[in-house]
Amino acid sequence: MKFFTSLPVKLLLGVVVGIIVGLVANTAVMNVVVTVRYILSQLIMFCVPLIIIGFIAPSITRLGKNASRMLAVAIVIAYASTLIVALLAMLAGFGIIPLLNIVSQVEGLKELPPVLFQLNIPQLMPVMSALVVSILLGLAATWTNAKTITVVLEEFQKIVLDIVTKIVIPILPVFIAFTFCGLAYEGTITKQFPVFITVILIVMAGHYIWLAVLYAVAGAYAKENPFKILKNYGPAYITAVGTMSSAATLAVALRCAEKSEPPLRDDMVDFGIPLFANIHLCGSVLTEVFFVMTVSKVLYGTLPELPTMILFCVLLGIFAIGAPGVPGGTVMASLGLITGVLGFDEAGCALMLTIFALQDSFGTACNVTGDGALTLILTGYANKHNIERHKLEAVF
């Protein structure tokens, strides 16, 4: 069955197998585990700058091709939604996580054996360099109407996406299994597992709160009843939970939005829903911000500093706009931020990838459902500024 071959199930199986093996493993077994985990982590980290360039730069060129007044408004409200929810998740993290009784240091831990064989795979460039290159390359290609480099970037994105789907994603369950094997061998996993269950429930509650805020703001701005839209989004929400992909849910989301005409305008639905499916990932961002703070507390004993978290939230909003609407797209696209800004090592990245994937369905469902609210804002803006349908159609 497809369910048993899905990434969350594979990751969960990796967690279970890793914990079981780690509880009974001896030093000889752990020598192999830590060595293979090190090599896999080197391979994954090598791909991070490629992922950043492959996702961010082509997204900028695509947006530049269709630059218009409504596109600018759409980008602004999508980024505003993402940034605000990230900052709110950060504040919630500073307020809630210290109350969760997280024990970062446990007495009597075993020490992991050293890596037997270190296969170092240096990155082509540092993470922040990759981000700057992506932004400058995308903008410059747009300004100069560089058709050749634009096509190259599109092809490069396809290549990187294949690297992610055919190399990085398949080795993740193995990497996760070996990481949790190490945590179980050390003896910390049994202390921390209840914390992650609690955190996932907190994040899901945050999704519903933010959706309520988005629709309330959109309804007030457009002077329409937002429930007329929200009530039609059940099929899209369920589909997103099942597919874990905004892109895969797009057809259903369009049908749900079309049932909401009015108050939504048909031209705004055709324009906004496909666009927001790729640039508005509020649920995933909320989840990632709260989770990185939890993982930092679990593994490193402290929460990141406030200025560091603010920088992370600001940059995460940019990364989310460029992330693909595929399962795990947000966290994969921003893996460089997790290592470069927050300083996570391979254990932190593995733990982050795991708990993110286990709830990715609900984060995606929040993303998709939130797109209806932003489309209502677009409709309100168009109506307030007397933007006619034929003017918008010129964008395409």
Side-chain angles (χ1 to χ4, degrees):
M1 294 177 62
K2 188 175 181 180
F3 172 78
F4 294 102
T5 61
S6 64
L7 180 60
V9 173
K10 289 181 179 179
L11 290 176
L12 184 58
L13 183 62
V15 171
V16 173
V17 172
I19 291 174
I20 293 174
V21 173
L23 292 175
V24 299
N26 56 26
T27 303
V29 173
M30 293 309 300
N31 278 328
V32 176
V33 168
V34 297
T35 301
V36 175
R37 185 184 70 177
Y38 177 82
I39 295 173
L40 292 180
S41 71
Q42 288 287 300
L43 179 59
I44 292 173
M45 294 307 164
F46 174 82
C47 294
V48 170
L50 301 179
I51 293 172
I52 293 172
I53 297 174
F55 287 163
I56 301 297
S59 297
I60 294 175
T61 60
R62 284 196 295 268
L63 294 176
K65 294 175 186 176
N66 296 322
S68 70
R69 183 179 181 183
M70 291 306 301
L71 181 62
V73 173
I75 295 172
V76 168
I77 61 177
Y79 182 75
S81 171
T82 303
L83 178 60
I84 293 172
V85 77
L87 294 175
L88 292 176
M90 177 194 71
L91 294 177
F94 281 121
I96 296 174
I97 293 174
L99 306 178
L100 295 182
N101 193 28
I102 296 176
V103 181
S104 57
Q105 298 294 333
V106 183
E107 295 183 359
L109 296 181
K110 294 181 182 179
E111 185 175 345
L112 288 173
V115 176
L116 295 179
F117 173 68
Q118 292 190 356
L119 178 62
N120 295 320
I121 311 176
Q123 295 176 334
L124 293 178
M125 65 180 71
V127 169
M128 294 307 295
S129 297
L131 173 60
V132 174
V133 167
S134 300
I135 295 174
L136 293 181
L137 189 61
L139 289 175
T142 300
W143 295 334
T144 60
N145 194 26
K147 296 181 180 179
T148 301
I149 192 63
T150 298
V151 172
V152 170
L153 289 174
E154 293 289 345
E155 291 293 327
F156 183 66
Q157 184 177 62
K158 294 177 182 178
I159 293 172
V160 172
L161 196 55
D162 258 19
I163 291 175
V164 171
T165 56
K166 296 181 180 179
I167 297 178
V168 177
I169 297 297
I171 68 175
L172 276 180
V174 180
F175 179 55
I176 295 301
F178 285 176
T179 298
F180 274 81
C181 182
L183 293 174
Y185 179 82
E186 289 177 318
T188 60
I189 193 63
T190 54
K191 295 287 185 180
Q192 308 299 359
F193 187 73
V195 171
F196 295 126
I197 299 298
T198 302
V199 168
I200 288 174
L201 294 176
I202 292 173
V203 164
M204 289 177 62
H207 292 163
Y208 300 129
I209 293 172
W210 184 243
L211 286 176
V213 171
L214 270 184
Y215 274 91
V217 171
Y221 176 77
K223 297 181 179 179
E224 296 283 357
N225 181 4
F227 186 72
K228 292 180 179 179
I229 303 167
L230 188 59
K231 68 179 182 180
N232 295 319
Y233 258 85
Y237 188 94
I238 295 172
T239 303
V241 170
T243 63
M244 296 177 294
S245 169
S246 298
T249 311
L250 181 56
V252 179
L254 280 169
R255 286 199 295 269
C256 293
E258 287 167 357
K259 292 180 179 179
S260 305
E261 303 169 5
L264 298 181
R265 274 174 42 168
D266 56 354
D267 57 333
M268 294 299 155
V269 169
D270 293 340
F271 170 73
I273 296 300
L275 177 63
F276 291 135
N278 289 283
I279 69 172
H280 182 231
L281 305 175
C282 58
S284 299
V285 166
L286 182 156
T287 299
E288 183 168 341
V289 170
F290 199 85
F291 279 4
V292 294
M293 297 178 73
T294 303
V295 170
S296 178
K297 181 65 174 178
V298 169
L299 292 185
Y300 312 123
T302 60
L303 295 174
E305 297 292 334
L306 178 60
T308 301
M309 279 306 304
I310 292 176
L311 175 62
F312 178 78
C313 291
V314 171
L315 294 178
L316 182 59
I318 299 174
F319 274 62
I321 289 177
V326 297
T330 306
V331 71
M332 289 303 302
S334 63
L335 201 57
L337 288 181
I338 296 174
T339 58
V341 176
L342 300 180
F344 279 24
D345 57 16
E346 64 270 14
C349 291
L351 202 53
M352 182 63 204
L353 288 168
T354 302
I355 59 175
F356 187 92
L358 292 178
Q359 65 72 58
D360 193 25
S361 296
F362 298 98
T364 302
C366 179
N367 299 339
V368 170
T369 307
D371 294 346
L374 296 198
T375 305
L376 180 58
I377 294 177
L378 276 184
T379 298
Y381 181 90
N383 291 336
K384 288 175 183 291
H385 293 82
N386 299 317
I387 296 177
E388 300 177 8
R389 285 175 173 79
H390 71 274
K391 292 182 179 180
L392 183 64
E393 290 170 356
V395 174
F396 304 95

